[in-house]
Amino acid sequence: MKIAVYSAKSYDIEFLDHENKTYGYELDYYEVPLNRKTARLAAGADAVCAFVNDKLNADTLHALAGLKIGMIALRCAGFNNVDIETASELGIRVMRVPAYSPHAVAEHAVALILTLSRKTHKAYNRVRDANFSLERFVGFDLEKKTVGVVGTGKIGQVFAGIMMGFGCNVLAYDPYPDSSLREKGVRYASIEDVFRTSDIVSLHCPLTPETHQLVNKETLGIMKKGAMLINTSRGKLINTEDVIAALRNKHLGYLGIDVYAEEEKLFFRDLSEHIIDDEKIMQLSTFPNVLITAHQAFLTKEALTEIAHTTMENISVYSKGESSKNEVTREMIA
Ligand code: NAD
């Protein structure tokens, strides 16, 4: 089996190569993302391995089908970047890594909250500059704050548990509430109530047509003045312009994001010597109450080990023609 691995970074190569010792596949690494133009690099391969910002739209899928690629091994849980309908029509099997480390992402959401609330990123720079002043560093306790969790799947559940450990009241919205979370003390409410009453709202739902720009002028308008919004899920859950407006008029108190609606053209690369042609992210990065990380919530040793393992297992299952619970099909989406 030969696999063309796209969007391959040093950490992908390290963990996939290590796992591949057990499988012995031929892995061809490409740093470029997978799209219609780069699909041709997969000529001669049996499968492609892709990540969150690879563009698996109908054009790319047709190009891959022309090269007789039979499988897409996603190194991620989300599959919103794959046209599953077209993949099914072309007979290309799509498999993902449904769970690797929900702790990695949930803990990163907590890191964003604590950094924003206690301003540790600014303290680090001040102390290095021998500025030991505490002016403008007043933070807030998490204890007794109401934390709203939108989406209580694997990551949302871990996040809710951590926040309860801080002594927060956890309020949640999910179309499919989880009874075990209720037993632990999480209160389910309508999405409006979650936005209206939370001091911190954290998004943990997938990007679907229904959740696209879930955070917009209206939902931001009902949030508490000075509240914090955290997004480690997908950038397009947020209408960026509306969030900028809410920050500018000081209604939204803090924003912590690991994902950004237009991240495809920015994230996972070093653009430090380039002029960034994205006014919105440049504006956001100037706000003192905004913290942006570049889609790194998944980046722990534990998560990368699990991603590499499940990806190799998925490829193995495909090579044997077996079925898999990790397969994404149009029936599953329906
Ligand atoms: P999951 O499938 O276990 O849980 C998603 C939950 O969202 C489910 O309980 C589902 O019922 C709920 N949901 C669906 N529609 C909803 C809606 N309209 N409103 C509220 N909830 C809704 O997924 P997960 O493993 O917990 O991952 C959640 C998301 O985190 C993924 O979809 C992905 O976008 C994101 N993610 C980000 C990173 C990162 O590195 N930043 C890494 C992994 C996953």
Side-chain angles (χ1 to χ4, degrees), residues 84-148:
I84 298 296
E85 190 66 37
T86 304
S88 296
E89 275 166 22
L90 295 169
I92 300 177
R93 294 180 70 186
V94 180
M95 294 191 210
R96 64 177 182 138
V97 184
Y100 34 94
S101 170
H103 297 272
V105 183
E107 289 172 14
H108 191 77
V110 179
L112 293 177
I113 293 172
L114 286 170
T115 308
L116 281 168
S117 68
R118 304 308 300 269
K119 308 180 203 305
T120 45
H121 54 320
K122 290 171 187 271
Y124 174 79
N125 285 326
R126 267 199 205 174
V127 171
R128 277 165 64 98
D129 202 24
N131 176 354
F132 302 108
S133 157
L134 297 181
E135 291 299 326
R136 300 182 305 283
F137 273 0
V138 178
F140 62 86
D141 288 4
L142 289 177
E143 200 208 7
K144 296 199 171 73
K145 294 292 181 297
T146 298
V147 176

Side-chain angles (χ1 to χ4, degrees), residues 31-53:
E31 201 178 341
V32 290
L34 173 54
N35 55 40
R36 183 181 57 81
K37 280 189 190 154
T38 60
R40 66 189 162 77
L41 294 169
D46 304 285
V48 294
C49 181
F51 198 47
V52 285
N53 289 330

